[in-house]
Amino acid sequence: MTTRTSLLTIAALLVAAAGVAGAQDARLALIRDNATRDVVNAQLVSASSMRLPAEPFVSKALEGVAKKATLKSIRSAMAALEKRMKTAYDLLGPSATVDELAAGADAISMGVSEKTIKQMRDRAPNRSIAMELGVITELVARGVPAKKAAAMMLDLMARGATGVQLTALGRDVQGDVAAGLKPDVALDLRGRGVLSLLPPPPTVSNVNVRPR
Amino acid sequence: MITDERDEVIDRAARSLSALPMVNPMAVLEITAAAAVHRSMRPARARAVLGWFRRPSLSLASTGLLMAAALVVGFVTRAALTGAAETLGTQTSEHPVLTPAADAGAASRGVPVPMVYDAKNARSVTVVGDFNSWDPAATPMTRVGVDGPWAATVFAKPGRHVYAFLVDGTTLVADPRSPRARDNDYGGDASVLMVPTP
């Protein structure tokens, strides 16, 4: 091995070591149990290799610690999160923000279909849809059927509903359901209320269709 | 006898030398001078190392080495700074007072959301949730008055968040004022926070 090759090898090893050091989030010091910390670190390395952000995994791990979950439970939760995050990444695209990916993973966890998430991305390809994903997740969590929630959300996005309107819709449905209203009925009522404030949907242009 | 043997050796050496061609003394001088000049023109050690790095065949090695050095220095510095931050966090958790420093950079952290929780017998309460990575030291609550509720402000980005209150550092309690969140991973009590776009 020549001097140059040796130096190149040393440099590569140093870069790899620094990368491993970087993968270790300082907040993981909150995990007292060494075995759990090792599992989380291994998960972070795995996520990094899939180009997934570390933040949701750190949060999930510390949530498990806060809830006094067992090592097995934390390991299982993180593996499931990785699967959901990977799906969200595939659906939302490589330009998706960390918040979008986390919201997408939450939506999948709650039962929102992959098709719906893809359609939402297509409705707003150039901006974050983390908030929209959060609202549809909450609607489904309150008991609104996933298909009904998807249809309403896609309609609202197509009509240009604002973030404030969508968040208000989610909270209103929360309140209605807590008050005893059926979730789908609550969404119908509140959704129609928001839609009435929005401009009409764009119609199909007939300029290229010649009258017979 | 010994003297004779020495003479014989000297004679043999003289004969060998005399067989060699004649040396021009000026040529010897020129060669010596040229060698001295060549020695003086040889690059210094530092210049030699620099030249080594400048050679095209070494660009990858040089870049790798420099990157590694920079990364190592960066990570060592980061570790030192993180350690200092953790120390500060521990001190804050022992004395749960919201300082101006805690509010710094609020805009980048999200929308401020006030939190209130009634727990008269609690010794300490903190807010934990996905907006602060469930870090029990991140958002300590302060008691309002002597027997009043516990209060704090969290900063969350627009969207749906899950959170809970950690009472006395051990008991996780859902917010009675908010809807419950179903947790498919761990179970347990938590609440939902919907943060609107500012």
Side-chain angles (χ1 to χ4, degrees):
Chain A
M1 188 181 279
T2 65
T3 307
R4 292 179 196 176
T5 314
S6 304
L7 285 171
L8 192 61
T9 308
I10 291 168
L13 286 172
L14 284 172
V15 169
V20 171
Q24 294 181 348
D25 194 294
R27 285 166 298 177
L28 296 186
L30 293 167
I31 302 174
R32 306 290 180 207
D33 179 43
N34 288 337
T36 305
R37 198 162 53 241
D38 289 345
V39 164
V40 175
N41 270 324
Q43 185 63 61
L44 290 180
V45 172
S46 171
S48 175
S49 71
M50 300 169 81
R51 297 186 176 183
L52 298 175
E55 181 61 36
F57 292 94
V58 173
S59 185
K60 181 58 72 178
L62 294 182
E63 180 185 357
V65 172
K67 291 183 174 179
K68 297 183 173 63
T70 62
L71 172 60
K72 185 182 173 186
S73 181
I74 291 175
R75 189 200 307 266
S76 170
M78 295 196 74
L81 177 63
E82 182 181 86
K83 193 177 173 186
R84 295 196 298 267
M85 290 282 288
K86 180 69 174 67
T87 305
Y89 181 88
D90 292 340
L91 294 169
L92 296 169
S95 62
T97 64
V98 177
D99 294 335
E100 278 183 301
L101 291 175
D106 280 349
I108 292 167
S109 167
M110 205 53 71
V112 177
S113 74
E114 295 178 15
K115 182 184 171 190
T116 299
I117 294 172
K118 185 76 174 74
Q119 287 175 319
M120 290 172 72
R121 165 88 296 165
D122 293 343
R123 286 272 198 280
N126 299 319
R127 63 170 176 83
S128 171
I129 57 167
M131 198 272 304
E132 285 84 350
L133 287 167
V135 171
I136 193 172
T137 301
E138 181 56 17
L139 291 175
V140 176
R142 288 306 119 206
V144 176
K147 279 188 178 179
K148 196 173 186 66
M152 179 61 78
M153 179 56 67
L154 290 168
D155 201 7
L156 288 166
M157 287 179 75
R159 301 272 295 272
T162 66
V164 173
Q165 288 171 323
L166 292 174
T167 315
L169 169 77
R171 286 202 286 207
D172 288 343
V173 171
Q174 276 181 347
D176 291 343
V177 172
L181 206 60
K182 283 186 174 179
D184 55 337
V185 174
L187 178 63
D188 267 341
L189 287 173
R190 298 295 182 175
R192 280 210 297 268
V194 177
L195 286 170
S196 69
L197 302 172
L198 301 173
T203 55
V204 178
S205 173
N206 293 325
V207 290
N208 293 326
V209 178
R210 292 188 176 192
R212 293 185 177 180
Chain B
M1 278 304 278
I2 294 173
T3 307
D4 290 344
E5 283 177 3
R6 278 183 180 171
D7 289 343
E8 191 180 339
V9 170
I10 290 170
D11 287 345
R12 212 183 313 153
R15 278 196 301 275
S16 300
L17 287 172
S18 63
L20 291 172
M22 287 296 290
V23 176
N24 183 357
M26 287 306 292
V28 172
L29 278 175
E30 282 176 9
I31 291 169
T32 311
V37 170
H38 181 71
R39 273 198 302 275
S40 70
M41 288 179 68
R42 190 180 295 168
R45 187 70 179 165
R47 282 163 57 197
V49 171
L50 199 59
W52 186 84
F53 273 105
R54 281 178 179 165
R55 266 183 268 174
S57 62
L58 292 175
S59 60
L60 189 61
S62 308
T63 308
L65 199 62
L66 286 172
M67 276 176 58
L71 279 170
V72 168
V73 169
F75 278 105
V76 167
T77 309
R78 177 175 172 268
L81 290 174
T82 307
E86 281 176 358
T87 308
L88 284 173
T90 307
Q91 288 170 352
T92 305
S93 67
E94 288 171 359
H95 306 283
V97 177
L98 281 180
T99 62
D103 291 331
S108 62
R109 279 183 289 173
V111 180
V113 181
M115 294 274 179
V116 178
Y117 180 60
D118 292 311
K120 289 187 178 177
N121 297 324
R123 292 186 302 277
S124 72
V125 182
T126 63
V127 188
V128 288
D130 53 19
F131 41 74
N132 63 12
S133 295
W134 294 84
D135 181 352
T139 317
M141 302 182 87
T142 53
R143 192 188 280 279
V144 180
V146 181
D147 283 331
W150 296 81
T153 300
V154 300
F155 295 90
K157 291 179 180 171
R160 180 181 187 266
H161 300 277
V162 178
Y163 72 100
F165 297 117
L166 187 62
V167 179
D168 295 335
T170 55
T171 310
L172 213 55
V173 182
D175 187 348
R177 290 180 171 85
S178 296
R180 295 293 173 93
R182 192 177 84 208
D183 183 359
N184 295 331
D185 292 320
Y186 299 122
D189 286 335
S191 303
V192 172
L193 171 67
M194 293 297 293
V195 178
T197 309

